[in-house]
Amino acid sequence: MHVSIVGSGYVGTTVAACLADLGHDVTNVDVDEDVVATINDGDTPIHEPGLDELIGEHAGDRLRATTDYDAVRETDVTFLALPTPSEDDGAIDLTYMEAGAASLGEALAEKDGDHLVVVKSTVVPGSTEDVVAPAIEETSGKTAGEGFHVAMNPEFLRMGTAVEDFLDPQKIVFGAREADAYETLGELFDPLVESTDAAVVETGIREAEMIKYANNGFLAAKVSLINDIGNICKEFDVDAYEVADAIALDDRIGGKFLRSGLGWGGSCFPKDTNAIIAAAQEAGYEPPVLEAAVEVNDGQPERLLSLLDDHADVAGKRVAVLGLSFKPGTDDVRGTRAVPVIEGLQARGADVVAYDPVATESFDEYYEDVEVEYADSAAEALDGAHAAVAVTDWDEFAALDTEFDAMANPVVVDGRHIVERREGITYEGLTW
Ligand SMILES: NC(=O)C1=CN([C@@H]2O[C@H](COP(=O)(O)OP(=O)(O)OC[C@H]3O[C@@H](n4cnc5c(N)ncnc54)[C@H](O)[C@@H]3O)[C@@H](O)[C@H]2O)C=CC1
Ligand SMILES: O=C(O)[C@H]1O[C@H](OP(=O)(O)OP(=O)(O)OC[C@H]2O[C@@H](n3ccc(=O)[nH]c3=O)[C@H](O)[C@@H]2O)[C@H](O)[C@@H](O)[C@@H]1O
């Protein structure tokens, strides 16, 4: 099939390269000329394992990129993989979706024949039909359900394993109204359904939109619940990781997403929990469990710092921060817990020196206002430090050993259950 994908960030680029790999002819449309040039050169604009190989293989053949929306007319289906950030109050900001839909509508105005528009972005229930479709109608002069059709296909990939997740999904959700839309989506994803155990869920558009928030909300709340339990464990000198290993044996609970500590960050859990809470409030319902999940999450960095206060007065002292990315395996720093930790340390008067294996540059660019010294290695960060805090669970932090000997005061507060306890250091775990 001929597919266009509007927006070529983490999701749009991954989906485009994977659909090309499944045999489709794919065009990425993005407003960013650098992103477009990078893809056409056979390179990846984002860092994801396996993505460079796929783009290298298919660019110039079944995969291309352009800034020109007119290219969508040559395709049967357009996915919208545009950003859906938060407003100041946490509510979803749909301005990118509206702008993309308006440009798409202008291009479709001159297309004869049918076109399917699929919202891939995470949007609150109602957005596809009440915001995206009218924006396309306005500039195309066509009517949704006649000149073009809309559908919703949420994405569940994780950063760091995006290609693997897309090519081996547990479920594929098609939200649509008409049989034709299910059929087109079915045809598009058929190679994936045939080659994996993926379940296909055919549902309504609003249900598809909500499934994405339910998925992320459930996972975020699961981590907050284990953090809540972990905080209780800490009060009673109980190891929350031993408790988690035991409850994981009950398959109604399961063993995933039970790592307690500093809590969730990233570009999606924080924004999506806030967006669905704001949407629920707007509709007249206060969701207490999701609100509590956010509250527990927001409290974890300060709990870590208060444990540090028990062991060291860091005013005027060098403190090492180990890890800047929001999770290991990525240089993405959006929503990272490193920010509240660093700000809390600086509020205590500490001189922060931070180290991350890959995310130093992105952190420095993304958080221009956060002033820290960067080290080239964990050993350099620890050298002369009066305390260290572990923020990201990079494997290399588990291997640290004699590097702690160079600390001026060997206190380690671990927010991720990653540093090994050893002789000679005062070790404090956040929930164990
Ligand atoms: N990043 C992730 O792991 C996941 C993200 N999502 C959702 O997917 C959506 C997209 O997220 P990301 O890919 O992370 O965003 P991103 O910020 O990485 O990429 C967005 C791209 O859209 C482009 N763009 C902006 N306005 C445009 C316009 N008017 N026309 C054409 N291109 C335009 C930007 O230049 C950028 O390349 C969001 O709703 C997000 O919540 C869903 C699952 C996973
Ligand atoms: O909507 C999205 O963008 C994506 O959000 C998450 O993916 P991602 O943000 O890449 O990262 P996760 O691996 O889910 O981790 C999120 C955060 O939770 C934290 N976490 C995760 C698991 C755990 O046990 N404990 C824990 O603190 C991680 O450190 C990280 O900060 C979801 O897992 C994806 O399914 C979803 O598509």
Side-chain angles (χ1 to χ4, degrees), residues 151-204:
M152 203 288 152
N153 167 233
E155 182 50 56
F156 302 97
L157 62 78
R158 291 162 298 171
M159 311 198 51
T161 50
V163 171
E164 199 184 314
D165 288 345
F166 186 86
L167 291 175
D168 191 12
Q170 291 178 345
K171 60 179 177 292
I172 305 172
V173 177
F174 300 151
R177 268 186 186 280
E178 301 108 345
D180 280 0
Y182 292 124
E183 208 172 294
T184 304
L185 286 166
E187 203 182 314
L188 191 62
F189 283 91
D190 187 56
L192 209 52
V193 176
E194 287 296 315
S195 62
T196 66
D197 296 328
V200 173
V201 179
E202 290 190 353
T203 186

Side-chain angles (χ1 to χ4, degrees), residues 20 40 62 199 275:
N40 288 331
R62 291 205 293 266

Side-chain angles (χ1 to χ4, degrees), residues 222-233 260 292 296 300 431:
K222 188 173 183 187
V223 175
S224 281
L225 181 54
I226 197 64
N227 281 340
D228 207 16
I229 288 170
N231 293 341
I232 300 172
C233 288
S260 56
V296 170
Q300 293 308 90
T431 58

Side-chain angles (χ1 to χ4, degrees), residues 6-12 29-32 35 69 81-84 96 99-100 120-122 155-159 212 267-268 271-272 334:
V6 173
S8 193
Y10 280 91
V11 171
V29 181
D30 202 289
V31 288
D32 188 325
V35 165
Y69 268 84
L82 292 164
T84 49
Y96 292 94
K120 192 62 159 159
S121 300
T122 302
E155 182 50 56
F156 302 97
L157 62 78
R158 291 162 298 171
M159 311 198 51
K212 175 65 193 174
S267 65
C268 290
K271 106 175 151 58
D272 293 347
R334 293 177 287 178

